[in-house]
Amino acid sequence: MPHRTFAWFIAPTLTAMILFIALPIVSVAVQSLFVAHEQVIIEVENCNPFKCEKALTVDIEATRKLNDEAPLGRFNALGTYINRNHLAFAEVAVVWRESASWRQFIAGVYNLPFYKALFFTLTYTFVVAPVVLVLGLFVALGVNALPRITKGPTIFVSLLPMIVTPLIGSLILFWMVDADGIIGATLQLIFDDDDLSLKASATLTWVLLIVYGIWHNTPFSFIVFYAGLQTVPQETIEAAQIDGATRWQRVRYVVVPYMMPLAVFIILMQLMDGFRIFEPIVGFSASAKATSLSWIIFNDLFGDAKLFGSAAATSMMTIIGVCILLTPVLIRTWRDFTTRRVV
């Protein structure tokens, strides 16, 4: 294809990517370098028939004028990235000096808000992604082996968790584990403890969020693998069967290698989805025990303080984190692609 024709072919997509992806990221990066102006405080004298008292108050007019002159706020450079609510370099250094062991150091760093959210986000991502990948493959293999008449209803039922929106799905599970819900009430009955609550434990809250993530994301993995199974060469499967390969051997040595590009695609999607977990935390009302990077962004944007610069800084670090996670997978994919081209 001539270069001129190719340029016109990709121009609409490239323009959309610049307008809706590149420019918003640049604007967020710029906003992260600024913080809100401090309010202008003045001293006023309030007098009544008996006495006069001095008090401090906000000069609304001066504060408004300051915001009009510099709408982005006060330039803070990278100060937002290293303050206590983010990378917290000073606080981490103090914890390092005062810690007698690695366990104390990790516990001290975990108490910092950004690292607490990062730890949960990474734990959620690295547990959910591989489980979803393996479970989706097994579900696809099972459904593919069913009789044709039962495949349609089974596929429909298997896709229900993905059809339900994350917030509604998490609310349903939240009600089920409540003391009056079917799971919560059953556990209280089994252990004969009316005070038993899955919501009271931070560990159990993490487990519930991870279980919900697996339940909600497995249908995506399943449907991708199921579609891929329809393209597996039957001649190769039949040849392996004639050679005496068992079902497990056929899956391991024929199906799995053939499905590797789809597995890479699913892993990429799960890494990105896991890094932006938000709705289940809101649905479970779990912010006291589990917070994510997306939840911190939401809290900064819609909290009383309206910390736009802080939210922008967390957003940029989230983008950088996703890029770091995806880089090894993308490099391996690129190497496999170039190797196939050379061969």
Side-chain angles (χ1 to χ4, degrees):
M1 180 183 294
H3 294 296
R4 184 181 180 86
T5 304
F6 178 74
W8 280 108
F9 179 75
I10 68 169
T13 301
L14 187 62
T15 302
M17 292 177 65
I18 293 174
L19 290 177
F20 300 112
I21 298 178
L23 290 182
I25 291 177
V26 171
S27 67
V28 171
V30 172
Q31 180 65 64
S32 69
L33 304 177
F34 293 83
V35 293
H37 293 291
E38 296 181 355
Q39 294 180 330
V40 180
I41 305 297
I42 59 174
E43 186 179 59
V44 297
E45 189 175 34
N46 299 322
C47 296
N48 56 44
F50 303 100
K51 62 178 180 178
C52 291
E53 293 181 347
K54 293 183 178 181
L56 298 178
T57 186
V58 177
D59 189 337
I60 299 177
E61 188 62 32
T63 302
R64 183 183 296 114
K65 183 179 179 181
L66 194 62
N67 290 328
D68 292 339
E69 292 175 352
L72 288 177
R74 175 172 56 86
F75 184 70
N76 193 40
L78 298 178
T80 305
Y81 288 88
I82 62 175
N83 65 13
R84 188 185 187 280
N85 291 325
H86 295 88
L87 296 178
F89 286 165
E91 288 75 9
V92 171
V94 171
V95 173
W96 174 259
R97 289 195 300 268
E98 296 178 351
S99 299
S101 64
W102 277 104
R103 180 175 295 181
Q104 291 182 1
F105 174 72
I106 294 174
V109 171
Y110 179 77
N111 290 327
L112 298 171
F114 176 80
Y115 291 103
K116 182 178 182 180
L118 179 62
F119 186 71
F120 171 76
T121 303
L122 292 176
T123 302
Y124 177 89
T125 301
F126 286 122
V127 173
V128 171
V131 174
V132 165
L133 181 71
V134 175
L135 192 58
L137 177 59
F138 279 112
V139 173
L141 290 171
V143 173
N144 195 51
L146 291 175
R148 183 181 298 272
I149 192 172
T150 60
K151 281 186 179 181
T154 305
I155 292 174
F156 174 76
V157 173
S158 301
L159 293 179
L160 283 178
M162 189 173 65
I163 297 173
V164 177
T165 58
L167 184 59
I168 300 302
S170 59
L171 282 173
I172 292 173
L173 185 56
F174 179 79
W175 292 328
M176 290 175 67
V177 301
D178 189 74
D180 296 328
I182 183 171
I183 297 178
T186 302
L187 290 176
Q188 288 182 353
L189 183 63
I190 293 174
F191 292 98
D192 194 21
D193 185 358
D194 294 337
D195 296 327
L196 180 64
S197 174
L198 295 177
K199 303 175 185 177
S201 170
T203 302
L204 292 177
T205 300
W206 282 39
V207 170
L208 284 173
L209 290 170
I210 290 172
V211 168
Y212 172 77
I214 295 171
W215 175 81
H216 179 74
N217 291 289
T218 296
F220 171 77
S221 175
F222 151 67
I223 201 65
V224 173
F225 278 133
Y226 181 77
L229 286 174
Q230 311 313 306
T231 65
V232 175
Q234 293 302 311
E235 297 81 3
T236 308
I237 297 290
E238 293 171 358
Q241 191 172 5
I242 293 173
D243 290 340
T246 63
R247 177 174 173 78
W248 166 247
Q249 290 174 330
R250 294 197 300 272
V251 170
R252 180 180 178 183
Y253 296 108
V254 178
V255 176
V256 171
Y258 186 83
M259 307 287 277
M260 281 306 296
L262 294 180
V264 172
F265 168 72
I266 293 171
I267 283 293
L268 290 174
M269 297 301 296
Q270 291 304 312
L271 289 177
M272 290 187 288
D273 283 348
F275 226 69
R276 60 182 180 83
I277 174 178
F278 171 70
E279 294 92 340
I281 295 176
V282 176
F284 279 106
S285 299
S287 57
K289 302 177 181 65
T291 56
S292 65
L293 298 178
S294 296
W295 186 89
I296 290 180
I297 296 171
F298 172 81
N299 191 56
D300 286 340
L301 287 175
F302 296 97
D304 295 333
K306 306 293 184 185
L307 303 175
F308 298 109
S310 178
T314 307
S315 299
M316 291 306 302
M317 286 191 287
T318 302
I319 294 172
I320 294 172
V322 171
C323 292
I324 293 174
L325 286 179
L326 298 185
T327 298
V329 181
L330 294 175
I331 291 176
R332 181 176 178 178
T333 304
W334 174 254
R335 287 176 178 174
D336 293 342
F337 175 74
T338 54
T339 302
R340 286 196 298 270
R341 286 188 63 185
V342 171
V343 174

